[in-house]
Amino acid sequence: MSAFAVARRLAVPVPWRLRVTRLYARLVNVSIIGAVGYGLVSAGLAKTPQAGSAWTALWLSVVGAAVLMKVALAFGPVFVGADRMFWVVSTPVSRGGVLRPRLGLVLVGGAAVGAVWPAVVFGVVGAVVPPVVAVVLGAAAGVAVVAGAVVLQRVGVAPQGWLSGVVGLAVVALLVPAGRGEVLGSDGVPSAVGGVPGGADLGGALGVSGGAGGLGAAVVACGLALGLAAVAVVSAGRLRRADLAAGAALAGVARVSVSWFDLALLGAVLAERRARALGRVRSARLTGPRSRVVALAWTDVLRVRRAPHAVLVWAALLPAPALVALGGEENAVAAVQVVAAFFATDRLAAGLKAVCRSRALRRALGVPDRQLRLAHLVVPAVGAVVWCAATTAFTPHVSPLNGVISAVGALAVVYRIATRPPVDYGAAIVDFGLFGPTPLGLIVQLSRGPALLAVLAVVQVLV
């Protein structure tokens, strides 16, 4: 039996009405994303690049490629569910023939992400390279990153630590020059956030400033991407069951979490995978002359130390407000600061979420709930204060009052989300006629935390 016959046998017949409905929903989503991208590209093309813009664009692209690689490696990126696993590993059907169509979709997705990424960069720093060259380079980079992830999946190498180091290096490259003191214009906008001496000529030094140089760089990038894609196609036929099953489990949990509006399921699976990757750790005593609150706070510090990815995300969000200021969105800088502060603080609140969501753990610890929450608020509070103080120091259009609001607000939003009761899917549904049945109770439950964050963002803009 050929791979094509297997695909036909596994395919589930879908009525044409359902196909049209799915196409309509996808068309709406693509239209919305396209409109947002068109706005970013238009703003970027109308903006004049400043000194150091090419340097900032380069390291932003490095961060994007590293994050894309980490996400791809987390999902495989080639995976199959239990329904297809039998055909892949237990039949004489060509394994590559069954997996290559899925690999093609993954490569197309990487190319699409890479082609859209220049719109984000242009919206921040302006068009540092010709748009056509940027799209071609981005698409080639996206294909190369995904194809490289497939090769690493076949080899069995997981360079998550190395990729985290690359992200940290990129963040330092974006922050250190800005910390030296940029030349501010008369309107208070920095002339170059993340700029370096001679940064304006970086695009020309890389050979992508336009003309023959840009065309040559695009041709070389496409050649490298096609070469890696060919190696990935060969590697797809040699993937093992363990390589294909891990990503399928994570994809299934992610699908269920999104469908049920409960990301706690996905967070639990990711925490388990990180614990397995961490392997063996040294135990620490919780008893002694210190108080229970101090002991629990120290346990939370150990938890953060054993999960350096949380600190990495916390640090990677530091340039976000400054990049928005560089993009010219002066009125939105303070709002972006409070939103980024929430995400940064949330990465340090794993202990708070664990004790608030597990009644059995609270009973086993034998500590009152108020003391438990107070002890596990120490690390997020320190992280929020340090993060907001650092961003307020080097971000224009952000006052100390904005920094205080961001720190206190981010901690409050994290606390409200962590202490939110389990989602009740039996909430009442109200039919508004034109809008159809609306689960108001579910919306109110899910708005606990995000609604406060939206209010704080409006307050930041008004202040």
Side-chain angles (χ1 to χ4, degrees):
M1 182 179 293
S2 63
F4 180 74
V6 172
R8 290 189 59 184
R9 175 167 295 189
L10 292 176
V12 179
V14 180
W16 67 270
R17 294 182 179 86
L18 183 57
R19 293 182 180 179
V20 172
T21 303
R22 291 178 177 177
L23 289 176
Y24 174 77
R26 294 175 182 175
L27 179 61
V28 171
N29 295 332
V30 171
S31 301
I32 294 174
I33 296 174
V36 174
Y38 177 78
L40 290 175
V41 172
S42 300
L45 295 177
K47 187 183 306 179
T48 302
Q50 302 172 359
S53 295
W55 178 263
T56 304
L58 172 64
W59 287 108
L60 282 176
S61 300
V62 171
V63 172
V67 171
L68 178 60
M69 176 70 80
K70 289 176 71 70
V71 173
L73 289 173
F75 284 93
V78 179
F79 61 87
V80 292
D83 56 337
R84 297 173 183 262
M85 187 65 71
F86 171 79
W87 295 101
V88 175
V89 300
S90 303
T91 64
V93 179
S94 173
R95 186 173 303 183
V98 178
L99 296 178
R100 280 165 192 154
R102 177 157 296 188
L103 172 61
L105 294 177
V106 173
L107 293 176
V108 170
V113 173
V116 173
W117 180 251
V120 179
V121 177
F122 285 0
V124 175
V125 299
V128 294
V129 295
V132 176
V133 176
V135 171
V136 174
L137 288 175
V143 172
V145 168
V146 174
V150 176
V151 175
L152 293 176
Q153 181 184 11
R154 168 64 185 88
V155 176
V157 178
Q160 298 291 350
W162 179 79
L163 292 173
S164 300
V166 172
V167 174
L169 176 63
V171 172
V172 171
L174 289 171
L175 286 178
V176 171
R180 295 176 183 172
E182 299 296 329
V183 179
L184 299 182
S186 58
D187 55 351
V189 179
S191 60
V193 176
V196 294
D201 298 329
L202 183 61
L206 294 176
V208 295
S209 57
L215 181 60
V219 171
V220 172
C222 290
L224 293 175
L226 291 177
L228 276 175
V231 177
V233 170
V234 176
S235 301
R238 302 176 181 176
L239 292 175
R240 297 163 295 185
R241 181 186 183 94
D243 302 329
L244 300 172
L250 183 59
V253 173
R255 187 181 301 111
V256 172
S257 298
V258 173
S259 301
W260 289 90
F261 302 102
D262 190 0
L263 298 181
L265 299 175
L266 180 60
V269 173
L270 291 176
E272 180 182 357
R273 293 186 63 172
R274 286 192 294 265
R276 290 181 176 180
L278 186 61
R280 183 179 179 181
V281 296
R282 296 179 59 184
S283 301
R285 294 177 60 86
L286 299 181
T287 59
R290 297 175 296 182
S291 65
R292 292 182 176 181
V293 175
V294 175
L296 290 172
W298 177 247
T299 304
D300 209 15
V301 173
L302 294 178
R303 181 184 288 107
V304 174
R305 192 183 69 179
R306 292 170 179 174
H309 65 279
V311 181
L312 177 64
V313 175
W314 178 89
L317 290 170
L318 286 171
L323 292 175
V324 174
L326 179 62
E329 302 295 335
E330 303 175 4
N331 296 329
V333 176
V336 171
Q337 186 195 31
V338 69
V339 174
F342 157 69
F343 285 109
T345 307
D346 183 70
R347 301 307 302 167
L348 305 179
L352 180 65
K353 295 177 182 178
V355 298
C356 291
R357 294 173 180 174
S358 177
R359 183 176 301 178
L361 180 60
R362 294 197 300 270
R363 289 178 177 176
L365 291 174
V367 181
D369 290 352
R370 181 174 300 179
Q371 293 185 15
L372 276 175
R373 295 175 181 178
L374 178 62
H376 289 87
L377 273 175
V378 174
V379 173
V382 173
V385 171
V386 174
W387 192 95
C388 293
T391 53
T392 303
F394 65 79
T395 305
H397 312 295
V398 173
S399 64
L401 178 59
N402 293 129
V404 173
I405 295 176
S406 296
V408 177
L411 188 63
V413 174
V414 168
Y415 181 80
R416 284 188 61 83
I417 292 178
T419 56
R420 182 172 58 190
V423 179
D424 180 14
Y425 298 98
I429 298 179
V430 180
D431 192 346
F432 287 95
L434 179 63
F435 299 101
T438 304
L440 289 182
L442 183 60
I443 294 176
V444 171
Q445 294 177 67
L446 297 177
S447 64
R448 179 186 172 106
L452 176 59
L453 185 62
V455 172
L456 290 172
V458 174
V459 171
Q460 289 284 63
V461 173
L462 296 179
V463 171

